[in-house]
Every structure is written in C-alpha cells, then in structure tokens.
Amino acid sequence: MTFHSIRIDDKGTVMTPLSLQPIPYQGSKRALAPRICQVFQKQVDTLYEPFAGSAAVTLYAAHHRLAKQFVIGDVFGEIIDLWDLIINRPSFVAERYSAIWTEQFGKNDSHFNEVRARFNQDRDPIRLLYLIARCVKNAVRFNKQGDFSQSVDKRRTGMHPDKMGRTVCSVSKLLRGRTRLFKGDFQACLAAATASDLVYMDPPYQGTTYGADKRYAAQLSREILVEALHVLNRRGVSYILSYDGKSGERSYGDPLPPSINAAHLSLHAGRSSQATLSGRDHQTIESLYVSKALDVPHVDIFKPLPLQASLFS
C-alpha cells in the first residue's frame, strides 16, 4: 500500500504525518503508524482509538484519508480535554502554551515544578501539554495518587511555541467536524462500533501497568482486555492491537491467548529509548495483533520504511 498525499500549512510548510504531532510523548506510535496502517484493508467508516494518548494512528489515518470519521477516547480525562481544545480552539492552545513556555526562562527548574504542582491541583490541559513537552525524554509518569510525577529534562526547553502553533492549527483542520471525543473506559468507548468500523488499541502493556515502572494514569488487567477482544470478535468488529513486546532480554508481558483469534505479528521498532537512557543498546520488538477478519495483507510491515518514503508517504 502506497500513499502520496502531502499537506501544506498556511505558511507553506509541508506537514507530514511525522510533524502532525502536538502531544510529543514517549511511547507514541508516531514512527510505527505508517506500518500499522498498512494493515487497513479498505476505507473505514469510523476509526476508534480508545487508548488515544497522542492519537498517532488517528492522525496518520486522517492525513491519508483512510477513514471517514474518528473517535478519540481515553480514560485519562485531561488528555481528552486537551484534544478538545486542540481540535476546537487551536489558537487558544497556541497562545496559552506560548505563555507557559516563555515563563520558564530565568526560573531554571523551579518553573517546571511550579507548573507540575499547579496541574496536579487544577488539571489544566494546557499545563499538561507543557509538562509532556518539557519532561525527561517526554516520558510521562504518574505516582500512586495519579499525579504527574516526571521531572524536567534539563537538556532542552520543549517544543517551540511557533512549531506548536503550526501543528495544533494543522491538526485542528484535519480533525474538526469528523471527530468525536470520549472520556472514559475503553469498552464503553467501543460500544457503538460496527463491522464497517475499525478499532486500533494501544493499551498499557502488562509489564508497565503495575509495580515501580508505572507509566500510565490508569491500569488495565490482561483478563479484561482478553474478554473485550472476545466481545469484539462476537460483534464482528475488526481490531488492531499493540500490546506486549520485548526490549533486549526484557519482555513486557506474555503473548495473548489463541482464543482471541488474531494474527500475531512482530514490529521491529528500533532502538529502545528507555534503554538508551540507561546506556544500553537494546532493540525493541512490539507485538501487533490483527483480528482475522482483516486478512492481513502480504506486505512487509516489519522493517522501517525508507527515509524518503516515510517523509512523503
């Protein structure tokens, strides 16, 4: 499957799928979206992304017109509040982000800590956007109370307001008028999905859901996920699921059972950014489960696209 659409913003800047990312956090499927979307068989009526986060697959699919409508959902309500503002009030997002970003100069680390403390009190989505853009390696972390707990990245200042402004405006034009937002449990989000729709899920991995390495604001048990996949199969709703994986010798969860009746593919995702932080050179392999109804095409989704193709696909 080959795509050729190119979008240009109001200033003449070419907006590729890689640049259409207003929420730049670690774990985003931004780089993998071109290969994940090769599994799409036809244009989809509605693409559901119930563990949206940065909604990388939705943005790629919207950019390439692979679906008519989109549902962006997440149990982390503040991220959906942020998406609401990005889609419907992009100028407001750009102005507020610029103001918060500019205030950091001359304050050292105290500014980030102040913004983090205020967000943990008022849950302001624009403050959340700044924290994601400015925290260590964009690696979002939460404590047991559900508060944002990651520290500031001292090597950089976060996405520049000019770039953020261009990005949110472009994304707003891409999604406004054909996107519904859902705040809550993923099963409730998918309640209206039909056989003409497609679900992409990127839930918390089993190995990063519990314990000290808590990367998500909410947890998801393996048993609940498996039962939800059984329900989708019975309803005839096709799905693509990013779930377990491996980095070096470390595995993030066990493979899902055969009862889900899905093809189990492996995506080589490149060097692990988390391992890089610890001075190790580990390659990451992610599992992609594709419901049998999609009849996985005979395309090579396992290796990265050539640079030129990835920029202009």
Side-chain angles (χ1 to χ4, degrees), residues 159-170:
M159 187 184 296
H160 193 280
D162 290 348
K163 181 179 180 181
M164 181 65 77
R166 292 193 301 269
T167 302
V168 296
C169 287
S170 295

Side-chain angles (χ1 to χ4, degrees), residues 13-81:
T13 303
V14 175
M15 302 300 292
T16 72
L18 290 178
S19 64
L20 289 170
Q21 295 293 329
I23 307 175
Y25 75 81
Q26 186 188 95
S28 165
K29 291 299 183 287
R30 175 177 56 184
L32 294 180
R35 285 180 280 161
I36 292 171
C37 288
Q38 288 186 69
V39 178
F40 286 35
Q41 296 285 289
K42 55 182 175 57
Q43 188 177 65
V44 174
D45 280 351
T46 301
L47 174 64
Y48 287 77
E49 194 168 355
F51 301 93
S54 67
V57 168
T58 292
L59 291 174
Y60 187 92
H63 181 84
H64 293 293
R65 301 179 177 90
L66 300 180
K68 299 174 184 177
Q69 303 288 330
F70 303 91
V71 174
I72 294 176
D74 208 291
V75 72
F76 184 36
E78 288 82 354
I79 205 75
I80 298 302
D81 292 338

Side-chain angles (χ1 to χ4, degrees), residues 103-114 130 134 152-154:
E103 288 174 351
Q104 69 184 310
F105 298 101
K107 288 190 174 183
N108 299 319
D109 299 346
S110 64
H111 176 260
F112 180 92
N113 295 337
E114 289 169 4
Y130 170 77
R134 187 73 168 87
V152 65
D153 192 328
K154 298 180 180 180

Side-chain angles (χ1 to χ4, degrees), residues 222-235:
R222 174 187 171 91
E223 292 73 22
I224 290 176
L225 175 62
V226 169
E227 177 54 30
L229 298 179
H230 290 162
V231 171
L232 290 177
N233 286 336
R234 290 195 293 269
R235 290 167 49 196

Side-chain angles (χ1 to χ4, degrees), residues 131-172:
L131 292 173
I132 294 173
R134 187 73 168 87
C135 72
V136 174
K137 286 287 185 179
N138 307 119
V140 176
R141 297 290 184 270
F142 297 89
N143 62 23
K144 293 180 179 180
Q145 289 72 44
D147 291 337
F148 194 101
S149 59
Q150 184 61 288
S151 57
V152 65
D153 192 328
K154 298 180 180 180
R155 299 170 299 177
R156 56 191 182 80
T157 59
M159 187 184 296
H160 193 280
D162 290 348
K163 181 179 180 181
M164 181 65 77
R166 292 193 301 269
T167 302
V168 296
C169 287
S170 295
V171 168
S172 175

